[in-house]
Amino acid sequence: MKTATRLDHLEVTLIREFISGASDGVVNLGLGQTNEPIPTCITERIAEPGKIAYAPYGPNAGFPELRAQIAERAGVAASRVVITAGVQEAIYLTMMTMVEPGMKVAVPNPGFPVYGSIAKICGAEVVEYSLREEDAFRPTPEIIGEVLDKEVDLIALCSPGNPTGAVATEESWAEIAELLADASIPVLSDEIYLPFQADGVPSHPSMLKLYPRTFCAAGLSKTHGMAGWRIGWLIVPEEVVGKVVALHQHVMTSVSGIVQQAALGAFTDAGDRAVEELNQRLKKKRSMITGALADSRWIVAGGDGAFYLWLRHPAFEDGLELATHLRDECGVLTIPGVAFGSAGEAYTRVSYSVNEEVLARGVDRLLSIEA
Amino acid sequence: MKTATRLDHLEVTLIREFISGASDGVVNLGLGQTNEPIPTCITERIAEPGKIAYAPYGPNAGFPELRAQIAERAGVAASRVVITAGVQEAIYLTMMTMVEPGMKVAVPNPGFPVYGSIAKICGAEVVEYSLREEDAFRPTPEIIGEVLDKEVDLIALCSPGNPTGAVATEESWAEIAELLADASIPVLSDEIYLPFQADGVPSHPSMLKLYPRTFCAAGLSKTHGMAGWRIGWLIVPEEVVGKVVALHQHVMTSVSGIVQQAALGAFTDAGDRAVEELNQRLKKKRSMITGALADSRWIVAGGDGAFYLWLRHPAFEDGLELATHLRDECGVLTIPGVAFGSAGEAYTRVSYSVNEEVLARGVDRLLSIEA
């Protein structure tokens, strides 16, 4: 049975294939999530059966009180906020709403692979912009300016970045916003990792504050341990809200009401404290792993934010060989950088968001490569 | 900002617009859901905080145990089941996977409007097949044969139907399956209302049992009061599972884990009893409303299944005028048939799934049209 051409490029991702090759005893530093429990300020919102007895259809755009909370923190009108099934759906809605077949969509390399594959579902041509070790894999005005000169119709930005953990400097972020204003194209700003910066790394504002044609995607998957519950949001320019919500309605009606009900617990003092405490734990873990690697031949090429380090090792030119060796010989699972694009070929991604004991074992195994 | 052409046809639906015009005191017989509580066999699965403390990413296709339960009842391999955010996403995935721009997609008129609007998002031409009062709005082999002769590339079927509640006869359903086999095209069979038949109306099997190229959409929204939680499934031919799951992954990663966890409670003896009891209540309500209307000039043109009656009234040739009069003068909200297509112009849809007291008041108001 012939499936639609728009899906021809979709295959099992290298990430999944690589993970499925891991044996049982491997220490998993491959996770793209925190492995933290959901804060009780969230779970308690739905832990009484009386509170969850009825589940009528809700508003397509999401619960008004949840949209209002998100809007207040983002400093935008609540009408611009659409509750989505995580950042994944936010990216999907952005591209399906804004990208015509034949358009050019700029995506980071290395970067989250779905930017490009969703652009292709929309029939677009993918134009990659390569991030570089000499910039610590940060997006720079020079790199973004070059790709904008290729007359792309939409650009995806992600800072702090996945897989590199690289955080744009505040100054370069502002310069990038000016370049976007000159190009006058929509930007997808994936800000799911924005709450997570390493000690001493200054944050930058949301692109929402700097450029009006921003489609800003974020959510509670990483900050509040809710990855599997699928809750995020997309903040869009007022003039396209109607189309985005109509598409969202056609895709899934609305995000699950019980998940929205729970999510309200994140926008409280207790929810804020939970993020602050998580940040402290992540900073401690980051110190633990960077401290241990400092005396080794490991090269930390990126990792100022999110909860990733972006590593290479002089004994392995090829990152896939490196990650395979780590997985099969050293017993530690990392994600080969090439899974995120050709510019990641020499690297592998390590997530330090696991608990301290697991992280300690994982670090030992990373170091065992030199034994 | 110019949005993509694929969304040009999307507008606020007439259904929503009509509902928003209702005043506060109106009796609402317009609901497309049962307004019943979620059975406790479902809510108790997630009512202990300890059970919901962690929410890691789950498998894209859904929890294996949930897929297995659905597969066992459908009599198919579990690998063919994809857990979706309700029937809405199941329809969306079917069309995005199977429909190329320029293809022809056949949809019922009257019918659920999103079949056509999703087909248009995919760039298809919509070919309507009209259901008729002389058939009690059931799909017949004659009607389906005629539209298949127009060389359509995919057809959407819905029995029991929304908005008409019409149930195909078992014999005609089997004949339709034979016509599909001759045409050899994929069919989207929306079977969300299949568990609901009026007394004395024989059910028909799932199209899955009769035709191998069936994309069967169903879920727990109506049977278990879970409409707002967004949980359903799509059962597809084995050979396209990979593409459907890959698209689903790009759209939303997976359905919310907490909702899947809860949904497991539906596939138990208690879950089955809940559906049986709901069916008994619906049958009683149906008798109540059809009994009351029998002595009036109201004409019941459809309504053997689901929880809808499809009505017209000789005093109103135009169903929109009828529904507007009911809403504004009689104080009862129904959904004008034209919201479901031109062949519904003379009719209005009444949902009898509200509680008995509300239904009694609604029926009084329907009858007041003749006062």
Side-chain angles (χ1 to χ4, degrees), chain A residues 1 16 60 92 100 239, chain B residues 1 5 16 60 92 239:
Chain A
M1 214 178 311
R16 179 131 350 146
N60 300 126
Y92 184 83
E100 300 274 13
E239 64 185 295
Chain B
M1 214 179 311
T5 313
R16 178 131 350 145
N60 300 127
Y92 184 84
E239 63 184 293

Side-chain angles (χ1 to χ4, degrees), chain B residues 213-237:
Chain B
R213 295 190 173 194
T214 297
F215 290 68
C216 178
L220 302 180
S221 293
K222 318 291 181 181
T223 47
H224 296 81
M226 295 178 78
W229 285 16
R230 313 308 306 131
I231 178 90
W233 52 86
L234 179 64
I235 301 177
V236 302

Side-chain angles (χ1 to χ4, degrees), chain A residues 6, chain B residues 98-105 119-127 150-153:
Chain A
R6 67 174 72 83
Chain B
M98 300 309 297
V99 177
E100 300 274 13
M103 279 187 173
K104 291 183 190 174
V105 172
K120 285 180 190 167
I121 291 174
C122 298
E125 178 190 342
V126 174
V127 181
K150 293 179 183 171
E151 303 202 320
V152 297
D153 300 285

Side-chain angles (χ1 to χ4, degrees), chain B residues 307-329:
Chain B
F307 37 75
Y308 302 124
L309 290 187
W310 184 239
L311 301 179
R312 65 183 171 87
H313 194 279
F316 289 84
E317 273 189 27
D318 184 289
L320 182 55
E321 280 177 28
L322 168 60
T324 306
H325 180 84
L326 288 170
R327 182 190 68 180
D328 298 341
E329 306 301 327

Side-chain angles (χ1 to χ4, degrees), chain B residues 100-177:
Chain B
E100 300 274 13
M103 279 187 173
K104 291 183 190 174
V105 172
V107 306
N109 174 9
F112 188 32
V114 303
Y115 304 135
S117 49
I118 292 175
K120 285 180 190 167
I121 291 174
C122 298
E125 178 190 342
V126 174
V127 181
E128 296 181 343
Y129 60 90
S130 289
L131 305 168
R132 299 176 303 210
E133 186 168 321
E134 59 259 44
D135 304 317
F137 286 92
R138 298 181 185 104
T140 67
E142 182 198 347
I143 291 169
I144 301 302
E146 263 175 34
V147 75
L148 291 178
D149 283 346
K150 293 179 183 171
E151 303 202 320
V152 297
D153 300 285
L154 182 145
I155 183 168
L157 295 176
C158 182
S159 173
N162 176 16
T164 63
V167 186
T169 67
E170 187 165 3
E171 190 183 2
S172 67
W173 196 241
E175 284 177 40
I176 288 168

Side-chain angles (χ1 to χ4, degrees), chain A residues 6 16 34 58 60 65 85 120 139 147 170 175 213 227 246 268 284 297 316 320 352 354 363:
Chain A
R6 67 174 72 83
R16 179 131 350 146
T34 58
N60 300 126
E65 59 271 41
K120 285 181 190 167
V147 75
E170 187 164 2
E175 283 176 41
R213 295 190 172 194
T268 57
K284 188 175 168 199
R297 292 170 67 208
F316 289 85
L320 182 55
Y352 52 82
V354 292
V363 168

